[in-house]
């Protein structure tokens, strides 16, 4: 009985170790390096995106040097109102446009956007904190989408 359990454990260990798992956001096996990033629009969103893209800056020789132009904007839209005309729900939309250039020549242009619906709150301070936190979360999701897009374009 004990030998059977040991054999099962060894087989499971071999299967798991041989699955070929690789992290998606690894900077290894990447043949590009971000040389320069120009930013326009919302500073907090851009700061989050640049922080996530920092692992791809100055990677070394024998790689394609990319220049990125990132333009982002935030829209807060009233999606519904109550019977008195006061806002009941809002929609927070973040749009980011990225232009990728190699050797001063535009190669790719892509838009990324995320949105979130949320209810109004009578406590405006809490509502503002909630909006800022969700703005940060949506910015991180967009930055992950940008990294996946870059990796799909320039993976070895």
């Amino acid at each position: 009985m004990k030998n059977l359990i040991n054999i099962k454990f060894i087989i499971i260990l071999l299967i798991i170790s041989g699955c070929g798992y690789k992290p998606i956001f690894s900077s290894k096996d990447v043949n590009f390096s971000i040389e320069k990033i120009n930013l326009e629009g919302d500073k907090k969103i851009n700061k989050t995106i640049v922080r996530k893209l920092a692992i791809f800056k100055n990677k070394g020789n024998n790689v394609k040097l990319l220049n990125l132009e990132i333009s982002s904007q935030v829209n807060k839209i009233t999606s519904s109102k109550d019977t008195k005309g006061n806002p009941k729900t809002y929609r927070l939309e973040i749009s980011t446009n990225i232009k990728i250039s190699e050797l001063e020549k535009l190669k790719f242009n892509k838009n990324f956007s995320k949105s979130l619906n949320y209810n109004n709150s009578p406590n405006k301070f809490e509502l503002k904190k909630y909006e800022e936190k969700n703005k940060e979360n949506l910015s991180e999701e967009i930055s992950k989408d940008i990294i996946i897009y870059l990796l799909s374009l320039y993976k070895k």
Side-chain angles (χ1 to χ4, degrees):
M1 182 71 172
K2 198 171 189 178
N3 286 337
L4 186 60
I5 293 173
N6 288 338
I7 292 172
K8 285 182 182 180
F9 178 72
I10 291 172
I11 291 173
I12 290 173
L13 186 64
L14 289 173
I15 290 172
I16 291 175
S17 65
C19 72
Y21 170 77
K22 290 182 184 177
I24 294 175
F25 298 114
S26 173
S27 62
K28 297 176 183 176
D29 299 331
V30 174
N31 66 347
F32 71 90
S33 177
I34 298 173
E35 184 177 34
K36 187 166 76 169
I37 301 175
N38 294 327
L39 304 170
E40 288 183 16
D42 191 273
K43 291 180 183 179
K44 287 185 179 182
I45 294 171
N46 291 339
K47 182 179 174 183
T48 301
I49 293 171
V50 168
R51 187 178 69 239
K52 295 287 184 181
L53 291 175
I55 62 172
F56 300 105
K57 285 190 113 179
N58 304 323
K59 293 304 285 181
N61 300 340
N62 300 327
V63 295
K64 295 179 183 178
L65 296 175
L66 304 180
N67 292 325
L68 303 180
E69 288 184 36
I70 299 173
S71 175
S72 59
Q73 65 180 24
V74 178
N75 292 324
K76 180 180 170 184
I77 302 165
T78 303
S79 30
S80 68
K81 296 183 178 185
D82 61 11
T83 55
K84 296 179 183 176
N86 298 323
K88 186 176 178 182
T89 61
Y90 293 107
R91 180 177 191 84
L92 184 67
E93 295 179 346
I94 296 180
S95 302
T96 302
N97 179 277
I98 183 168
K99 294 178 182 176
I100 304 166
S101 302
E102 291 178 43
L103 301 172
E104 303 299 323
K105 187 176 178 185
L106 181 65
K107 288 287 192 175
F108 301 100
N109 185 8
K110 177 117 171 118
N111 290 315
F112 298 91
S113 63
K114 297 284 182 185
S115 63
L116 173 75
N117 291 322
Y118 59 96
N119 293 326
N120 193 6
S121 171
N123 185 342
K124 299 305 175 193
F125 178 73
E126 290 295 324
L127 182 65
K128 186 70 173 169
K129 281 182 20 181
Y130 183 76
E131 287 172 358
E132 290 299 318
K133 183 65 177 166
N134 284 315
K135 187 175 163 182
E136 177 75 21
N137 291 340
L138 292 175
S139 304
E140 288 189 13
E141 287 182 31
I142 287 177
S143 63
K144 288 178 185 177
D145 290 346
I146 290 172
I147 290 171
I148 291 171
Y149 179 70
L150 288 172
L151 290 174
S152 70
L153 291 175
Y154 295 101
K155 195 76 171 177
K156 282 185 182 177

